[in-house]
Amino acid sequence: MRKSFWILFFVLLASNLFAQTNYIPSGVWKYIDGHDTIEFYLKSSQMNVAGTTYPILIGFHKYIKNGQLIESSMGDINTDYSDKKYTILLYNVQENRAKYSGNFKDLSTDVNRLIILTKLTPKNISVRLTSKQVSKNINGIGYTLPRNFTLIRE
């Protein structure tokens, strides 16, 4: 009986760990803090460079601050990579990664930022927005969205 318990325990543990490694953060994600809401919609896509296809995630976002819409690209969620209407582009998409990075387009300031998504749990990812080291001079241009927040899968 005791041996059966341990076998069952390790089988369940292994299946749980395997399920967490097959992870691509596609779908709807939200951050809500009082009257402020950030919504991301991420979907798998492909980028073709010199005849080689790479898996990517493209995304769209909506930001509501104090109950008022500040910016949104959600009207373009039915487009794909070739349409260039996304505001989020994440590279090197693989199921075994817990961290993704790429570009975030701040619509209000017309500045491309570096975005880093880190898996906290299968239903929570942290988001960090920062400046690109090689970007044009953007000193004095603030961030429209908060620089750090946590999204919850809807």
Side-chain angles (χ1 to χ4, degrees):
M1 176 75 166
R2 187 174 176 159
K3 186 176 180 182
S4 298
F5 168 78
W6 285 110
I7 291 171
L8 179 61
F9 173 77
F10 285 116
V11 167
L12 290 174
L13 178 65
S15 67
N16 187 34
L17 290 174
F18 178 75
Q20 291 186 15
T21 58
N22 290 336
Y23 178 78
I24 293 179
S26 57
V28 177
W29 296 83
K30 279 191 180 178
Y31 162 83
I32 300 173
D33 183 20
H35 295 290
D36 298 349
T37 303
I38 300 170
E39 184 176 341
F40 279 17
Y41 176 78
L42 302 173
K43 64 181 180 177
S44 297
S45 191
Q46 295 180 342
M47 177 172 60
N48 190 313
V49 177
T52 303
T53 301
Y54 299 96
I56 59 172
L57 281 174
I58 61 170
F60 308 89
H61 77 283
K62 176 169 59 173
Y63 180 41
I64 297 172
K65 184 173 176 106
N66 295 323
Q68 292 195 331
L69 178 66
I70 302 299
E71 60 182 43
S72 178
S73 62
M74 289 298 204
D76 297 318
I77 63 173
N78 292 322
T79 62
D80 61 22
Y81 173 75
S82 63
D83 296 317
K84 308 282 189 226
K85 301 229 180 206
Y86 51 82
T87 51
I88 302 164
L89 175 60
L90 302 171
Y91 305 102
N92 200 14
V93 175
Q94 300 171 11
E95 289 182 348
N96 60 349
R97 297 190 58 151
K99 188 180 250 187
Y100 294 94
S101 63
N103 298 318
F104 176 83
K105 171 96 178 206
D106 187 323
L107 296 173
S108 298
T109 62
D110 196 30
V111 171
N112 283 314
R113 306 281 186 189
L114 174 65
I115 185 170
I116 301 166
L117 302 182
T118 305
K119 173 186 164 187
L120 303 174
T121 70
K123 294 192 176 205
N124 295 285
I125 53 176
S126 73
V127 178
R128 181 170 169 235
L129 297 174
T130 187
S131 296
K132 294 181 181 182
Q133 300 237 346
V134 294
S135 65
K136 62 184 176 185
N137 184 5
I138 58 172
N139 291 335
I141 298 176
Y143 290 77
T144 305
L145 276 67
R147 293 188 64 186
N148 297 288
F149 52 94
T150 299
L151 295 168
I152 298 170
R153 185 184 295 268
E154 289 289 301

